Amino acid sequence: MYPTFLITLIFYQTFTNAEWNTKDYLKKEHSLLKPYHGTRMTIPHWDFLGSTIVSNNYIRLTSDDQSKIGAIWNTVPCSTRHWELQVQFKVHGKGKDLFGDGLAIWYTRDRMIPGPVFGSADYFYGLAVLIDTYSNHNGEHKHQHPYISAMVNNGTLHYDHDRDGTHTQIAGCEAKLRNFDHDTHIVVRYEYDTLTVLTDLENKRAWSQCFSVSGIRLPTGYYFGISAATGDLSDNHDVIGVHFYELDSDVKDTEDRSKILPSAVSFEPMREHIDDPKSSWSGMKTFFIMMICSIIIVSVIIVGIMLYQKHKEKSRKRFY
Ligand SMILES: *[C@@H]1O[C@H](CO)[C@@H](O)[C@H](O)[C@H]1NC(C)=O
Ligand SMILES: [Ca+2]
């Protein structure tokens, strides 16, 4: 019974997920695509600050040097209610065991304010997805670094570096993402008040879920930004590209979200780790691998039962 159910479930997931993004709409005004440069040294729709440098192939928020902060900020406020931001990035440096501090993806009321939270302002209004590569805290929390977490703020909460933000995070996951030869990808999806963060860190061209949390209320009209910082420890923090998609939504929302304060009702993360295939090919592969696994499991159970019964018969013979 169980494997049949499993196969059905996987089959369903494969073919529902394989479809995603086909109906969604890339919006250039929130995206950052190669070639970055417009006329002269400006990037259309983006401002940059701090140590940020723009080359032909990447935008380097910080170099692998101490005490740098850099950021890029979208100039166009987001009026889209359901959206997805895909960020192609790369964190790399000389440090083998010691490196830091990390980067953050922002959706906030205020923009272009340098500050202590991975290069941007604390006590912010909005959402931060924090990619923390260095553990400041030895003890209390049990997770390894790098660690990806999300924080929603209405301007009152302080991001506490000493505790790696653990008491203000709404969800998080560990993520090995440094010093790969390939680029790494993260997706921040906000749809029907559910915030989902997915990653592709192993160049699989398939998303795996970091976390998904419902009950997140974010206003429209905020700005996207990406910032990074180094301290005593350092890394190159590079952004390669940003793709923004307006997600197709069947239900038309009538509520005016432009004036609400950001809030998160639930601090309970859903942490199951599921793959979210990007292409039908990887979906089909997963499906067949799972099917073969199921067949093997069933075979092992059947053989096990047969052996057990044989064994029982033998012992019966012995007794009578
Ligand atoms: C802001 O958020 C804090 C922490 O979640 C909460 O206690 C407070 O009531 C919120 N303030 C407003 C004005 O919503
Ligand atoms: Ca940290």
Side-chain angles (χ1 to χ4, degrees):
M1 280 304 123
Y2 174 71
T4 320
F5 169 71
L6 196 70
I7 287 168
T8 314
L9 185 76
I10 286 158
F11 196 87
Y12 174 76
Q13 279 214 336
T14 302
F15 287 94
T16 49
N17 285 336
E19 285 239 324
W20 76 268
N21 253 343
T22 53
K23 285 174 284 181
D24 307 332
Y25 173 56
L26 178 85
K27 290 187 110 177
K28 281 230 166 96
E29 65 266 39
H30 303 304
S31 298
L32 178 59
L33 310 167
K34 281 183 207 171
Y36 309 121
H37 289 296
T39 50
R40 290 184 228 138
M41 284 306 287
T42 61
I43 306 174
H45 311 304
W46 294 85
D47 290 330
F48 44 102
L49 63 78
S51 57
T52 305
I53 56 157
V54 182
S55 82
N56 286 334
N57 296 314
Y58 54 81
I59 294 165
R60 180 154 291 168
L61 304 178
T62 79
S63 54
D64 191 1
D65 300 296
Q66 291 183 330
S67 305
K68 301 268 182 220
I69 62 170
I72 50 170
W73 283 95
N74 193 207
T75 57
V76 184
C78 173
S79 57
T80 302
R81 194 46 204 280
H82 308 285
W83 48 261
E84 176 169 304
L85 195 75
Q86 301 185 3
V87 179
Q88 187 177 355
F89 69 104
K90 199 164 179 176
V91 181
H92 56 112
K94 299 181 298 288
K96 255 191 108 184
D97 302 312
L98 292 173
F99 41 82
D101 289 332
L103 67 161
I105 299 168
W106 302 91
Y107 177 64
T108 53
R109 189 189 71 178
D110 306 305
R111 57 190 291 282
M112 295 295 281
I113 307 177
V117 186
F118 302 97
S120 199
D122 200 1
Y123 299 103
F124 58 92
Y125 287 79
L127 167 73
V129 174
L130 309 152
I131 304 172
D132 185 359
T133 50
Y134 175 67
S135 174
N136 301 67
H137 190 91
N138 301 309
E140 221 170 278
H141 67 67
K142 294 207 173 62
H143 61 249
Q144 300 289 308
H145 280 72
Y147 191 75
I148 301 173
S149 66
M151 176 175 172
V152 170
N153 202 346
N154 61 13
T156 66
L157 295 177
H158 162 56
Y159 178 84
D160 187 353
H161 268 289
D162 294 337
R163 292 156 82 180
D164 292 313
T166 42
H167 65 310
T168 47
Q169 80 181 39
I170 50 173
C173 77
E174 292 170 11
K176 291 269 167 286
L177 50 81
R178 268 188 90 252
N179 274 354
F180 287 124
D181 291 332
H182 54 264
D183 297 338
T184 44
H185 302 253
I186 184 168
V187 178
V188 181
R189 186 186 294 163
Y190 181 61
E191 192 178 22
Y192 298 109
D193 293 350
T194 297
L195 176 74
T196 305
V197 171
L198 308 154
T199 57
D200 175 13
L201 305 175
E202 282 132 17
N203 214 12
K204 285 188 301 193
R205 307 207 62 74
W207 301 121
S208 49
Q209 183 167 303
C210 177
F211 58 79
S212 186
V213 193
S214 56
I216 308 284
R217 284 167 61 85
L218 296 172
T220 50
Y222 279 18
Y223 295 93
F224 292 104
I226 305 170
S227 69
T230 63
D232 292 339
L233 304 170
S234 64
D235 250 336
N236 296 297
H237 295 99
D238 298 347
V239 174
I240 318 298
V242 177
H243 289 78
F244 177 94
Y245 294 97
E246 174 169 27
L247 300 182
D248 179 68
S249 57
D250 302 328
V251 183
K252 281 279 157 277
D253 304 293
T254 46
E255 188 192 344
D256 178 14
R257 279 290 181 94
S258 61
K259 306 253 169 3
I260 65 162
L261 273 180
S263 67
V265 294
S266 163
F267 277 67
E268 278 299 303
M270 299 171 349
R271 286 288 281 280
E272 86 269 50
H273 195 90
I274 54 156
D275 275 338
D276 190 4
K278 198 194 268 178
S279 65
S280 53
W281 182 81
S282 73
M284 289 301 286
K285 206 174 85 173
T286 314
F287 169 61
F288 281 117
I289 289 171
M290 292 308 288
M291 198 170 78
I292 288 163
C293 286
S294 305
I295 290 168
I296 291 169
I297 291 167
V298 171
S299 311
V300 166
I301 291 169
I302 291 170
V303 170
I305 290 169
M306 280 163 61
L307 285 176
Y308 175 72
Q309 296 219 319
K310 242 191 194 154
H311 175 78
K312 243 179 33 186
E313 260 170 47
K314 254 193 201 158
S315 34
R316 218 181 282 141
K317 273 184 203 140
R318 225 178 289 140
F319 280 115
Y320 298 101

